[in-house]
Amino acid sequence: RRRSISTHFPNSTLFRVGGSQWKRLYTNVANSTRNSEIEAMSKETEDRGASVRVTALHAIPVGRKGYVKLETSEGITGWGEINNMETKIACALAESLGQLIIGENPTRIEHHWQRLFRAHRNLRGGGLMIHTISAIDMALWDIKGKALGLPCYKLLGGAHSDHIVPYASLQPDADTVEGYQTSLIDWLLRAKSHGFAAAKLECTLGGPYRHQVLDGTDEQMTEIITACREAAGRDFALMVDVQYLWRDAKSALRTIR
Protein backbone atom coordinates (compact mmCIF):
# COMPACT_ATOMS: atom_id res chain seq x y z
CA ARG A 1 0.00 0.00 0.00
CA ARG A 2 2.83 2.40 0.86
CA ARG A 3 4.62 1.59 -2.42
CA SER A 4 1.46 2.34 -4.37
CA ILE A 5 0.97 5.69 -2.63
CA SER A 6 4.63 6.66 -3.01
CA THR A 7 4.35 6.08 -6.76
CA HIS A 8 1.69 8.79 -6.97
CA PHE A 9 3.42 11.10 -4.47
CA PRO A 10 7.17 10.56 -5.08
CA ASN A 11 8.20 13.78 -3.34
CA SER A 12 6.28 13.10 -0.15
CA THR A 13 8.28 12.91 3.07
CA LEU A 14 5.49 11.19 4.99
CA PHE A 15 6.62 7.60 4.52
CA ARG A 16 8.50 7.41 7.78
CA VAL A 17 7.27 4.96 10.40
CA GLY A 18 4.78 6.53 12.82
CA GLY A 19 1.03 6.90 13.20
CA SER A 20 1.02 10.70 13.13
CA GLN A 21 2.68 10.77 9.72
CA TRP A 22 0.05 8.41 8.30
CA LYS A 23 -2.72 10.68 9.57
CA ARG A 24 -1.03 13.60 7.82
CA LEU A 25 -0.69 11.47 4.68
CA TYR A 26 -4.46 11.01 4.38
CA THR A 27 -4.94 14.76 4.69
CA ASN A 28 -2.32 15.43 1.99
CA VAL A 29 -3.85 12.86 -0.34
CA ALA A 30 -7.26 14.50 -0.04
CA ASN A 31 -5.86 18.01 -0.48
CA SER A 32 -3.79 17.01 -3.49
CA THR A 33 -6.85 15.86 -5.48
CA ARG A 34 -7.82 18.54 -7.94
CA ASN A 35 -11.04 20.40 -7.19
CA SER A 36 -12.40 19.73 -10.66
CA GLU A 37 -12.02 15.98 -10.11
CA ILE A 38 -13.90 16.21 -6.82
CA GLU A 39 -16.73 18.17 -8.44
CA ALA A 40 -16.97 15.64 -11.26
CA MET A 41 -17.11 12.76 -8.79
CA SER A 42 -19.78 14.54 -6.74
CA LYS A 43 -21.98 15.03 -9.78
CA GLU A 44 -21.64 11.39 -10.75
CA THR A 45 -22.66 10.14 -7.30
CA GLU A 46 -25.06 12.93 -6.39
CA ASP A 47 -28.00 11.79 -4.23
CA ARG A 48 -31.07 13.42 -5.74
CA GLY A 49 -32.81 13.21 -2.38
CA ALA A 50 -29.93 14.60 -0.31
CA SER A 51 -31.28 18.14 -0.10
CA VAL A 52 -34.67 17.10 1.31
CA ARG A 53 -35.30 17.72 5.01
CA VAL A 54 -38.19 16.70 7.24
CA THR A 55 -40.02 19.81 8.42
CA ALA A 56 -43.02 18.41 10.30
CA LEU A 57 -44.72 15.24 11.49
CA HIS A 58 -48.46 15.08 12.10
CA ALA A 59 -50.23 12.04 13.57
CA ILE A 60 -53.96 11.87 12.83
CA PRO A 61 -56.27 9.46 14.69
CA VAL A 62 -59.16 8.20 12.56
CA GLY A 63 -61.29 5.60 14.33
CA ARG A 64 -59.26 2.41 14.87
CA LYS A 65 -56.38 3.66 12.73
CA GLY A 66 -53.81 6.40 12.97
CA TYR A 67 -52.12 8.10 10.02
CA VAL A 68 -48.68 9.68 10.08
CA LYS A 69 -48.02 12.55 7.70
CA LEU A 70 -44.44 13.70 7.11
CA GLU A 71 -43.81 17.06 5.44
CA THR A 72 -40.52 18.10 3.84
CA SER A 73 -38.65 21.18 2.70
CA GLU A 74 -39.18 20.16 -0.94
CA GLY A 75 -42.95 19.93 -0.64
CA ILE A 76 -42.90 16.13 -0.76
CA THR A 77 -45.34 14.49 1.64
CA GLY A 78 -45.12 10.95 2.99
CA TRP A 79 -47.89 8.91 4.61
CA GLY A 80 -47.83 5.94 6.97
CA GLU A 81 -50.45 3.94 8.88
CA ILE A 82 -50.75 2.75 12.50
CA ASN A 83 -53.08 -0.19 12.96
CA ASN A 84 -54.43 -2.29 15.85
CA MET A 85 -53.15 0.00 18.59
CA GLU A 86 -54.73 2.40 21.06
CA THR A 87 -54.92 5.08 18.38
CA LYS A 88 -54.56 8.28 20.39
CA ILE A 89 -51.65 6.92 22.43
CA ALA A 90 -49.87 5.68 19.30
CA CYS A 91 -50.36 9.05 17.59
CA ALA A 92 -48.95 10.86 20.63
CA LEU A 93 -45.92 8.55 20.56
CA ALA A 94 -45.46 9.17 16.82
CA GLU A 95 -45.38 12.93 17.36
CA SER A 96 -42.89 12.49 20.20
CA LEU A 97 -40.62 10.31 18.04
CA GLY A 98 -41.04 12.76 15.18
CA GLN A 99 -38.90 15.30 17.04
CA LEU A 100 -35.91 13.04 16.36
CA ILE A 101 -36.22 13.33 12.58
CA ILE A 102 -37.27 16.97 12.17
CA GLY A 103 -34.51 18.66 10.16
CA GLU A 104 -33.07 15.30 9.05
CA ASN A 105 -32.73 13.81 5.58
CA PRO A 106 -35.72 11.46 5.18
CA THR A 107 -33.90 9.21 2.70
CA ARG A 108 -31.64 7.82 5.47
CA ILE A 109 -34.33 5.31 6.36
CA GLU A 110 -32.28 2.60 8.10
CA HIS A 111 -30.47 5.22 10.18
CA HIS A 112 -33.76 6.72 11.32
CA TRP A 113 -35.26 3.32 12.14
CA GLN A 114 -32.37 2.41 14.39
CA ARG A 115 -32.44 5.80 16.09
CA LEU A 116 -36.19 5.70 16.70
CA PHE A 117 -36.05 2.11 17.97
CA ARG A 118 -33.45 3.05 20.58
CA ALA A 119 -35.10 6.32 21.58
CA HIS A 120 -37.31 5.01 24.40
CA ARG A 121 -35.50 2.22 26.20
CA ASN A 122 -38.48 1.04 28.25
CA LEU A 123 -40.78 0.77 25.21
CA ARG A 124 -38.30 -0.90 22.89
CA GLY A 125 -39.53 -4.10 21.25
CA GLY A 126 -43.18 -3.79 22.29
CA GLY A 127 -46.08 -3.74 19.86
CA LEU A 128 -46.90 -0.08 20.46
CA MET A 129 -43.36 1.05 19.65
CA ILE A 130 -42.93 -1.19 16.60
CA HIS A 131 -46.31 -0.31 15.08
CA THR A 132 -45.65 3.41 15.55
CA ILE A 133 -42.13 3.28 14.10
CA SER A 134 -43.52 1.26 11.18
CA ALA A 135 -45.90 4.10 10.32
CA ILE A 136 -43.02 6.59 10.30
CA ASP A 137 -40.96 4.12 8.28
CA MET A 138 -43.74 3.85 5.65
CA ALA A 139 -43.87 7.63 5.39
CA LEU A 140 -40.09 7.83 4.91
CA TRP A 141 -40.20 5.24 2.11
CA ASP A 142 -43.09 7.15 0.56
CA ILE A 143 -40.99 10.32 0.53
CA LYS A 144 -37.92 8.55 -0.85
CA GLY A 145 -39.88 7.00 -3.69
CA LYS A 146 -41.43 10.33 -4.61
CA ALA A 147 -38.07 12.16 -4.37
CA LEU A 148 -36.40 9.68 -6.72
CA GLY A 149 -39.41 9.22 -8.99
CA LEU A 150 -39.58 5.48 -8.31
CA PRO A 151 -42.21 3.19 -6.81
CA CYS A 152 -41.14 1.79 -3.45
CA TYR A 153 -41.10 -1.80 -4.66
CA LYS A 154 -38.19 -0.94 -6.96
CA LEU A 155 -36.29 0.62 -4.06
CA LEU A 156 -36.86 -2.58 -2.07
CA GLY A 157 -35.34 -4.91 -4.65
CA GLY A 158 -37.85 -5.01 -7.48
CA ALA A 159 -40.95 -7.04 -8.24
CA HIS A 160 -41.09 -10.72 -7.23
CA SER A 161 -44.38 -11.27 -9.05
CA ASP A 162 -46.34 -9.58 -11.79
CA HIS A 163 -49.58 -9.67 -9.81
CA ILE A 164 -50.98 -10.03 -6.30
CA VAL A 165 -54.31 -11.21 -4.92
CA PRO A 166 -55.69 -8.65 -2.46
CA TYR A 167 -57.84 -9.83 0.42
CA ALA A 168 -60.35 -8.10 2.67
CA SER A 169 -59.50 -8.10 6.39
CA LEU A 170 -62.83 -8.56 8.18
CA GLN A 171 -63.34 -7.64 11.83
CA PRO A 172 -66.96 -7.93 12.95
CA ASP A 173 -68.57 -5.73 15.56
CA ALA A 174 -70.89 -7.51 18.01
CA ASP A 175 -71.25 -8.31 21.70
CA THR A 176 -72.77 -11.80 21.35
CA VAL A 177 -71.59 -14.93 19.54
CA GLU A 178 -74.71 -14.95 17.37
CA GLY A 179 -74.29 -11.28 16.48
CA TYR A 180 -70.63 -11.94 15.76
CA GLN A 181 -71.53 -14.52 13.11
CA THR A 182 -74.15 -12.27 11.54
CA SER A 183 -71.75 -9.32 11.39
CA LEU A 184 -68.92 -11.40 9.93
CA ILE A 185 -71.11 -12.84 7.17
CA ASP A 186 -72.40 -9.34 6.36
CA TRP A 187 -68.85 -8.01 6.00
CA LEU A 188 -67.89 -11.05 3.92
CA LEU A 189 -70.73 -10.56 1.45
CA ARG A 190 -69.92 -6.86 1.18
CA ALA A 191 -66.28 -7.68 0.42
CA LYS A 192 -67.35 -10.14 -2.27
CA SER A 193 -69.69 -7.54 -3.82
CA HIS A 194 -66.72 -5.15 -4.11
CA GLY A 195 -64.83 -7.71 -6.19
CA PHE A 196 -62.62 -9.37 -3.58
CA ALA A 197 -61.84 -13.04 -4.22
CA ALA A 198 -60.29 -13.64 -0.79
CA ALA A 199 -60.79 -12.56 2.81
CA LYS A 200 -59.21 -13.01 6.22
CA LEU A 201 -61.75 -13.58 8.99
CA GLU A 202 -61.10 -12.47 12.53
CA CYS A 203 -62.72 -15.27 14.51
CA THR A 204 -61.68 -14.73 18.11
CA LEU A 205 -64.17 -15.99 20.66
CA GLY A 206 -61.57 -16.64 23.36
CA GLY A 207 -57.91 -16.24 24.26
CA PRO A 208 -55.98 -13.07 25.12
CA TYR A 209 -57.44 -11.09 22.19
CA ARG A 210 -61.05 -12.25 22.43
CA HIS A 211 -63.47 -9.90 20.72
CA GLN A 212 -65.18 -7.57 23.21
CA VAL A 213 -64.78 -10.13 26.02
CA LEU A 214 -66.80 -12.75 24.14
CA ASP A 215 -66.64 -16.22 25.65
CA GLY A 216 -67.30 -18.74 22.88
CA THR A 217 -66.18 -22.30 22.30
CA ASP A 218 -64.09 -23.90 19.57
CA GLU A 219 -67.25 -25.61 18.33
CA GLN A 220 -69.00 -22.25 17.94
CA MET A 221 -66.00 -20.87 16.07
CA THR A 222 -66.16 -23.85 13.71
CA GLU A 223 -69.86 -23.22 13.11
CA ILE A 224 -69.16 -19.55 12.30
CA ILE A 225 -66.43 -20.44 9.79
CA THR A 226 -68.69 -23.07 8.21
CA ALA A 227 -71.46 -20.48 7.82
CA CYS A 228 -68.99 -18.06 6.23
CA ARG A 229 -67.88 -20.72 3.75
CA GLU A 230 -71.47 -21.43 2.76
CA ALA A 231 -72.14 -17.71 2.31
CA ALA A 232 -69.01 -17.03 0.26
CA GLY A 233 -69.05 -20.14 -1.93
CA ARG A 234 -66.32 -22.65 -2.74
CA ASP A 235 -64.49 -20.40 -5.21
CA PHE A 236 -63.73 -17.76 -2.56
CA ALA A 237 -60.45 -18.00 -0.58
CA LEU A 238 -60.87 -17.82 3.19
CA MET A 239 -58.20 -17.32 5.84
CA VAL A 240 -58.88 -17.35 9.57
CA ASP A 241 -57.08 -15.31 12.24
CA VAL A 242 -57.64 -16.77 15.73
CA GLN A 243 -55.16 -14.38 17.41
CA TYR A 244 -53.20 -16.61 19.83
CA LEU A 245 -56.33 -18.50 20.84
CA TRP A 246 -54.80 -21.89 21.69
CA ARG A 247 -52.04 -22.62 24.19
CA ASP A 248 -51.01 -25.92 22.59
CA ALA A 249 -50.92 -27.65 19.22
CA LYS A 250 -53.33 -30.38 20.37
CA SER A 251 -56.19 -27.91 20.79
CA ALA A 252 -55.47 -26.29 17.43
CA LEU A 253 -55.33 -29.62 15.57
CA ARG A 254 -58.56 -30.83 17.20
CA THR A 255 -60.42 -27.74 15.99
CA ILE A 256 -58.88 -27.89 12.51
CA ARG A 257 -59.93 -31.52 12.10
Side-chain angles (χ1 to χ4, degrees):
R1 185 180 299 169
R2 289 174 63 182
R3 264 199 308 274
S4 174
I5 294 174
S6 63
T7 301
H8 294 284
F9 301 94
N11 299 323
S12 176
T13 59
L14 297 176
F15 297 100
R16 302 167 187 165
V17 176
S20 61
Q21 283 98 348
W22 279 106
K23 291 179 182 178
R24 288 166 55 203
L25 168 63
Y26 295 133
T27 302
N28 273 17
V29 169
N31 291 338
S32 67
T33 306
R34 292 191 301 273
N35 289 335
S36 59
E37 292 177 338
I38 294 176
E39 290 174 4
M41 291 168 61
S42 297
K43 289 179 180 178
E44 289 174 4
T45 60
E46 181 181 4
D47 181 355
R48 292 168 56 193
S51 62
V52 184
R53 292 292 180 269
V54 177
T55 57
L57 182 150
H58 304 285
I60 307 160
V62 181
R64 298 175 65 178
K65 293 182 180 290
Y67 295 94
V68 169
K69 178 184 179 183
L70 282 182
E71 299 175 356
T72 68
S73 57
E74 302 296 319
I76 303 171
T77 301
W79 288 89
E81 175 188 318
I82 305 170
N83 196 17
N84 294 327
M85 290 288 111
E86 185 61 41
T87 308
K88 291 183 179 179
I89 295 174
C91 286
L93 177 58
E95 292 190 342
S96 173
L97 291 171
Q99 299 304 310
L100 296 175
I101 60 174
I102 301 297
E104 297 290 331
N105 180 352
T107 66
R108 299 181 65 198
I109 297 174
E110 179 62 28
H111 166 76
H112 294 316
W113 197 99
Q114 295 292 340
R115 191 178 181 198
L116 294 171
F117 182 71
R118 287 164 173 73
H120 292 290
R121 180 181 60 187
N122 295 330
L123 290 176
R124 187 184 307 165
L128 175 63
M129 190 69 162
I130 296 300
H131 277 249
T132 304
I133 292 176
S134 294
I136 298 173
D137 190 64
M138 289 180 212
L140 291 171
W141 279 108
D142 191 20
I143 289 170
K144 187 168 185 176
K146 290 172 180 175
L148 299 178
L150 293 170
C152 286
Y153 81 87
K154 288 192 175 181
L155 301 178
L156 295 169
H160 294 277
S161 176
D162 59 0
H163 71 283
I164 60 172
V165 178
Y167 68 84
S169 184
L170 307 180
Q171 299 178 320
D173 187 16
D175 53 10
T176 66
V177 174
E178 294 76 14
Y180 192 91
Q181 175 174 317
T182 301
S183 177
L184 191 54
I185 291 174
D186 178 58
W187 278 109
L188 180 58
L189 294 177
R190 275 198 264 176
K192 190 172 182 180
S193 70
H194 284 294
F196 283 99
K200 182 177 73 173
L201 314 176
E202 180 200 272
C203 200
T204 314
L205 305 182
Y209 293 98
R210 68 181 64 195
H211 183 83
Q212 293 189 7
V213 299
L214 288 180
D215 188 18
T217 65
D218 291 345
E219 287 72 24
Q220 286 176 310
M221 183 181 69
T222 304
E223 291 172 4
I224 291 173
I225 296 169
T226 300
C228 288
R229 167 55 69 202
E230 291 174 354
R234 303 302 302 178
D235 59 343
F236 193 93
L238 288 180
M239 298 165 280
V240 181
D241 187 350
V242 299
Q243 302 192 87
Y244 310 100
L245 170 61
W246 298 297
R247 293 182 177 273
D248 55 76
K250 183 178 179 180
S251 298
L253 290 171
R254 181 182 66 83
T255 306
I256 290 170
R257 292 190 181 105

PDB file of all heavy atoms in Angstrom, residues 127-148:
ATOM      1  N   GLY A 127     -45.221  -3.954  21.027  1.00  0.00           N
ATOM      2  CA  GLY A 127     -46.078  -3.744  19.863  1.00  0.00           C
ATOM      3  C   GLY A 127     -46.355  -2.283  19.586  1.00  0.00           C
ATOM      4  O   GLY A 127     -46.357  -1.846  18.431  1.00  0.00           O
ATOM      5  N   LEU A 128     -46.598  -1.493  20.643  1.00  0.00           N
ATOM      6  CA  LEU A 128     -46.903  -0.077  20.456  1.00  0.00           C
ATOM      7  C   LEU A 128     -45.750   0.641  19.752  1.00  0.00           C
ATOM      8  O   LEU A 128     -45.960   1.397  18.791  1.00  0.00           O
ATOM      9  CB  LEU A 128     -47.183   0.578  21.809  1.00  0.00           C
ATOM     10  CG  LEU A 128     -47.408   2.098  21.789  1.00  0.00           C
ATOM     11  CD1 LEU A 128     -48.642   2.454  20.967  1.00  0.00           C
ATOM     12  CD2 LEU A 128     -47.543   2.629  23.218  1.00  0.00           C
ATOM     13  N   MET A 129     -44.532   0.387  20.226  1.00  0.00           N
ATOM     14  CA  MET A 129     -43.361   1.054  19.646  1.00  0.00           C
ATOM     15  C   MET A 129     -43.145   0.623  18.197  1.00  0.00           C
ATOM     16  O   MET A 129     -42.934   1.459  17.308  1.00  0.00           O
ATOM     17  CB  MET A 129     -42.126   0.722  20.483  1.00  0.00           C
ATOM     18  CG  MET A 129     -40.898   1.534  20.135  1.00  0.00           C
ATOM     19  SD  MET A 129     -41.120   3.255  20.604  1.00  0.00           S
ATOM     20  CE  MET A 129     -39.428   3.827  20.609  1.00  0.00           C
ATOM     21  N   ILE A 130     -43.204  -0.673  17.945  1.00  0.00           N
ATOM     22  CA  ILE A 130     -42.929  -1.189  16.604  1.00  0.00           C
ATOM     23  C   ILE A 130     -43.978  -0.717  15.600  1.00  0.00           C
ATOM     24  O   ILE A 130     -43.654  -0.307  14.482  1.00  0.00           O
ATOM     25  CB  ILE A 130     -42.852  -2.729  16.615  1.00  0.00           C
ATOM     26  CG1 ILE A 130     -41.669  -3.194  17.470  1.00  0.00           C
ATOM     27  CG2 ILE A 130     -42.718  -3.270  15.196  1.00  0.00           C
ATOM     28  CD1 ILE A 130     -40.310  -2.703  16.982  1.00  0.00           C
ATOM     29  N   HIS A 131     -45.263  -0.765  15.983  1.00  0.00           N
ATOM     30  CA  HIS A 131     -46.312  -0.306  15.083  1.00  0.00           C
ATOM     31  C   HIS A 131     -46.144   1.180  14.759  1.00  0.00           C
ATOM     32  O   HIS A 131     -46.347   1.605  13.613  1.00  0.00           O
ATOM     33  CB  HIS A 131     -47.693  -0.533  15.721  1.00  0.00           C
ATOM     34  CG  HIS A 131     -48.218  -1.914  15.534  1.00  0.00           C
ATOM     35  ND1 HIS A 131     -49.297  -2.207  14.734  1.00  0.00           N
ATOM     36  CD2 HIS A 131     -47.804  -3.104  16.039  1.00  0.00           C
ATOM     37  CE1 HIS A 131     -49.532  -3.509  14.757  1.00  0.00           C
ATOM     38  NE2 HIS A 131     -48.640  -4.064  15.551  1.00  0.00           N
ATOM     39  N   THR A 132     -45.779   1.963  15.762  1.00  0.00           N
ATOM     40  CA  THR A 132     -45.647   3.411  15.554  1.00  0.00           C
ATOM     41  C   THR A 132     -44.442   3.729  14.673  1.00  0.00           C
ATOM     42  O   THR A 132     -44.533   4.542  13.747  1.00  0.00           O
ATOM     43  CB  THR A 132     -45.526   4.132  16.906  1.00  0.00           C
ATOM     44  OG1 THR A 132     -46.658   3.787  17.728  1.00  0.00           O
ATOM     45  CG2 THR A 132     -45.493   5.634  16.721  1.00  0.00           C
ATOM     46  N   ILE A 133     -43.316   3.073  14.943  1.00  0.00           N
ATOM     47  CA  ILE A 133     -42.130   3.281  14.105  1.00  0.00           C
ATOM     48  C   ILE A 133     -42.426   2.833  12.670  1.00  0.00           C
ATOM     49  O   ILE A 133     -41.975   3.465  11.705  1.00  0.00           O
ATOM     50  CB  ILE A 133     -40.918   2.522  14.665  1.00  0.00           C
ATOM     51  CG1 ILE A 133     -40.479   3.135  16.001  1.00  0.00           C
ATOM     52  CG2 ILE A 133     -39.747   2.542  13.682  1.00  0.00           C
ATOM     53  CD1 ILE A 133     -39.345   2.393  16.677  1.00  0.00           C
ATOM     54  N   SER A 134     -43.185   1.754  12.525  1.00  0.00           N
ATOM     55  CA  SER A 134     -43.521   1.262  11.182  1.00  0.00           C
ATOM     56  C   SER A 134     -44.266   2.314  10.367  1.00  0.00           C
ATOM     57  O   SER A 134     -44.037   2.458   9.165  1.00  0.00           O
ATOM     58  CB  SER A 134     -44.367  -0.010  11.280  1.00  0.00           C
ATOM     59  OG  SER A 134     -43.624  -1.062  11.846  1.00  0.00           O
ATOM     60  N   ALA A 135     -45.159   3.049  11.025  1.00  0.00           N
ATOM     61  CA  ALA A 135     -45.897   4.098  10.316  1.00  0.00           C
ATOM     62  C   ALA A 135     -44.956   5.197   9.835  1.00  0.00           C
ATOM     63  O   ALA A 135     -45.060   5.687   8.707  1.00  0.00           O
ATOM     64  CB  ALA A 135     -46.969   4.682  11.236  1.00  0.00           C
ATOM     65  N   ILE A 136     -44.010   5.584  10.697  1.00  0.00           N
ATOM     66  CA  ILE A 136     -43.022   6.593  10.302  1.00  0.00           C
ATOM     67  C   ILE A 136     -42.142   6.047   9.180  1.00  0.00           C
ATOM     68  O   ILE A 136     -41.807   6.751   8.223  1.00  0.00           O
ATOM     69  CB  ILE A 136     -42.175   7.018  11.516  1.00  0.00           C
ATOM     70  CG1 ILE A 136     -43.075   7.660  12.584  1.00  0.00           C
ATOM     71  CG2 ILE A 136     -41.069   7.983  11.101  1.00  0.00           C
ATOM     72  CD1 ILE A 136     -42.364   7.966  13.891  1.00  0.00           C
ATOM     73  N   ASP A 137     -41.779   4.772   9.290  1.00  0.00           N
ATOM     74  CA  ASP A 137     -40.957   4.117   8.277  1.00  0.00           C
ATOM     75  C   ASP A 137     -41.657   4.116   6.918  1.00  0.00           C
ATOM     76  O   ASP A 137     -41.044   4.402   5.884  1.00  0.00           O
ATOM     77  CB  ASP A 137     -40.674   2.682   8.738  1.00  0.00           C
ATOM     78  CG  ASP A 137     -39.625   1.987   7.894  1.00  0.00           C
ATOM     79  OD1 ASP A 137     -38.475   2.436   7.899  1.00  0.00           O
ATOM     80  OD2 ASP A 137     -39.957   0.982   7.241  1.00  0.00           O
ATOM     81  N   MET A 138     -42.967   3.802   6.903  1.00  0.00           N
ATOM     82  CA  MET A 138     -43.740   3.846   5.645  1.00  0.00           C
ATOM     83  C   MET A 138     -43.693   5.239   5.032  1.00  0.00           C
ATOM     84  O   MET A 138     -43.511   5.388   3.812  1.00  0.00           O
ATOM     85  CB  MET A 138     -45.201   3.491   5.920  1.00  0.00           C
ATOM     86  CG  MET A 138     -45.482   2.067   6.258  1.00  0.00           C
ATOM     87  SD  MET A 138     -47.281   1.889   6.538  1.00  0.00           S
ATOM     88  CE  MET A 138     -47.304   0.605   7.758  1.00  0.00           C
ATOM     89  N   ALA A 139     -43.864   6.259   5.888  1.00  0.00           N
ATOM     90  CA  ALA A 139     -43.875   7.634   5.388  1.00  0.00           C
ATOM     91  C   ALA A 139     -42.515   8.015   4.812  1.00  0.00           C
ATOM     92  O   ALA A 139     -42.433   8.721   3.797  1.00  0.00           O
ATOM     93  CB  ALA A 139     -44.265   8.596   6.507  1.00  0.00           C
ATOM     94  N   LEU A 140     -41.432   7.535   5.425  1.00  0.00           N
ATOM     95  CA  LEU A 140     -40.087   7.826   4.913  1.00  0.00           C
ATOM     96  C   LEU A 140     -39.877   7.169   3.545  1.00  0.00           C
ATOM     97  O   LEU A 140     -39.317   7.775   2.626  1.00  0.00           O
ATOM     98  CB  LEU A 140     -39.028   7.343   5.910  1.00  0.00           C
ATOM     99  CG  LEU A 140     -38.944   8.105   7.233  1.00  0.00           C
ATOM    100  CD1 LEU A 140     -38.020   7.374   8.208  1.00  0.00           C
ATOM    101  CD2 LEU A 140     -38.449   9.537   7.009  1.00  0.00           C
ATOM    102  N   TRP A 141     -40.316   5.920   3.407  1.00  0.00           N
ATOM    103  CA  TRP A 141     -40.205   5.243   2.114  1.00  0.00           C
ATOM    104  C   TRP A 141     -41.056   5.950   1.061  1.00  0.00           C
ATOM    105  O   TRP A 141     -40.660   6.057  -0.111  1.00  0.00           O
ATOM    106  CB  TRP A 141     -40.627   3.776   2.233  1.00  0.00           C
ATOM    107  CG  TRP A 141     -39.553   2.893   2.780  1.00  0.00           C
ATOM    108  CD1 TRP A 141     -39.489   2.318   4.007  1.00  0.00           C
ATOM    109  CD2 TRP A 141     -38.365   2.473   2.091  1.00  0.00           C
ATOM    110  NE1 TRP A 141     -38.344   1.579   4.141  1.00  0.00           N
ATOM    111  CE2 TRP A 141     -37.632   1.649   2.981  1.00  0.00           C
ATOM    112  CE3 TRP A 141     -37.846   2.720   0.821  1.00  0.00           C
ATOM    113  CZ2 TRP A 141     -36.412   1.068   2.629  1.00  0.00           C
ATOM    114  CZ3 TRP A 141     -36.627   2.141   0.473  1.00  0.00           C
ATOM    115  CH2 TRP A 141     -35.937   1.329   1.368  1.00  0.00           C
ATOM    116  N   ASP A 142     -42.213   6.413   1.466  1.00  0.00           N
ATOM    117  CA  ASP A 142     -43.093   7.151   0.557  1.00  0.00           C
ATOM    118  C   ASP A 142     -42.380   8.391   0.026  1.00  0.00           C
ATOM    119  O   ASP A 142     -42.397   8.687  -1.180  1.00  0.00           O
ATOM    120  CB  ASP A 142     -44.372   7.535   1.306  1.00  0.00           C
ATOM    121  CG  ASP A 142     -45.462   8.066   0.388  1.00  0.00           C
ATOM    122  OD1 ASP A 142     -45.403   7.811  -0.829  1.00  0.00           O
ATOM    123  OD2 ASP A 142     -46.386   8.730   0.894  1.00  0.00           O
ATOM    124  N   ILE A 143     -41.722   9.109   0.922  1.00  0.00           N
ATOM    125  CA  ILE A 143     -40.986  10.318   0.526  1.00  0.00           C
ATOM    126  C   ILE A 143     -39.820   9.963  -0.401  1.00  0.00           C
ATOM    127  O   ILE A 143     -39.597  10.615  -1.423  1.00  0.00           O
ATOM    128  CB  ILE A 143     -40.470  11.063   1.765  1.00  0.00           C
ATOM    129  CG1 ILE A 143     -41.642  11.704   2.523  1.00  0.00           C
ATOM    130  CG2 ILE A 143     -39.448  12.132   1.387  1.00  0.00           C
ATOM    131  CD1 ILE A 143     -41.271  12.245   3.882  1.00  0.00           C
ATOM    132  N   LYS A 144     -39.077   8.925  -0.049  1.00  0.00           N
ATOM    133  CA  LYS A 144     -37.915   8.555  -0.855  1.00  0.00           C
ATOM    134  C   LYS A 144     -38.330   8.161  -2.267  1.00  0.00           C
ATOM    135  O   LYS A 144     -37.697   8.560  -3.255  1.00  0.00           O
ATOM    136  CB  LYS A 144     -37.152   7.405  -0.196  1.00  0.00           C
ATOM    137  CG  LYS A 144     -35.832   7.077  -0.889  1.00  0.00           C
ATOM    138  CD  LYS A 144     -34.985   6.148  -0.049  1.00  0.00           C
ATOM    139  CE  LYS A 144     -33.620   5.933  -0.695  1.00  0.00           C
ATOM    140  NZ  LYS A 144     -32.736   5.101   0.156  1.00  0.00           N
ATOM    141  N   GLY A 145     -39.402   7.388  -2.373  1.00  0.00           N
ATOM    142  CA  GLY A 145     -39.882   6.997  -3.695  1.00  0.00           C
ATOM    143  C   GLY A 145     -40.293   8.193  -4.524  1.00  0.00           C
ATOM    144  O   GLY A 145     -39.974   8.294  -5.715  1.00  0.00           O
ATOM    145  N   LYS A 146     -40.999   9.138  -3.893  1.00  0.00           N
ATOM    146  CA  LYS A 146     -41.433  10.334  -4.613  1.00  0.00           C
ATOM    147  C   LYS A 146     -40.247  11.215  -4.987  1.00  0.00           C
ATOM    148  O   LYS A 146     -40.216  11.809  -6.074  1.00  0.00           O
ATOM    149  CB  LYS A 146     -42.421  11.113  -3.749  1.00  0.00           C
ATOM    150  CG  LYS A 146     -43.761  10.412  -3.578  1.00  0.00           C
ATOM    151  CD  LYS A 146     -44.649  11.122  -2.564  1.00  0.00           C
ATOM    152  CE  LYS A 146     -45.977  10.417  -2.398  1.00  0.00           C
ATOM    153  NZ  LYS A 146     -46.807  11.026  -1.316  1.00  0.00           N
ATOM    154  N   ALA A 147     -39.248  11.325  -4.088  1.00  0.00           N
ATOM    155  CA  ALA A 147     -38.074  12.160  -4.373  1.00  0.00           C
ATOM    156  C   ALA A 147     -37.265  11.619  -5.541  1.00  0.00           C
ATOM    157  O   ALA A 147     -36.722  12.382  -6.348  1.00  0.00           O
ATOM    158  CB  ALA A 147     -37.187  12.256  -3.125  1.00  0.00           C
ATOM    159  N   LEU A 148     -37.192  10.301  -5.659  1.00  0.00           N
ATOM    160  CA  LEU A 148     -36.400   9.678  -6.718  1.00  0.00           C
ATOM    161  C   LEU A 148     -37.235   9.332  -7.948  1.00  0.00           C
ATOM    162  O   LEU A 148     -36.704   8.851  -8.945  1.00  0.00           O
ATOM    163  CB  LEU A 148     -35.719   8.418  -6.181  1.00  0.00           C
ATOM    164  CG  LEU A 148     -34.744   8.634  -5.014  1.00  0.00           C
ATOM    165  CD1 LEU A 148     -34.186   7.301  -4.539  1.00  0.00           C
ATOM    166  CD2 LEU A 148     -33.609   9.573  -5.418  1.00  0.00           C
TER     167      LEU A 148
END
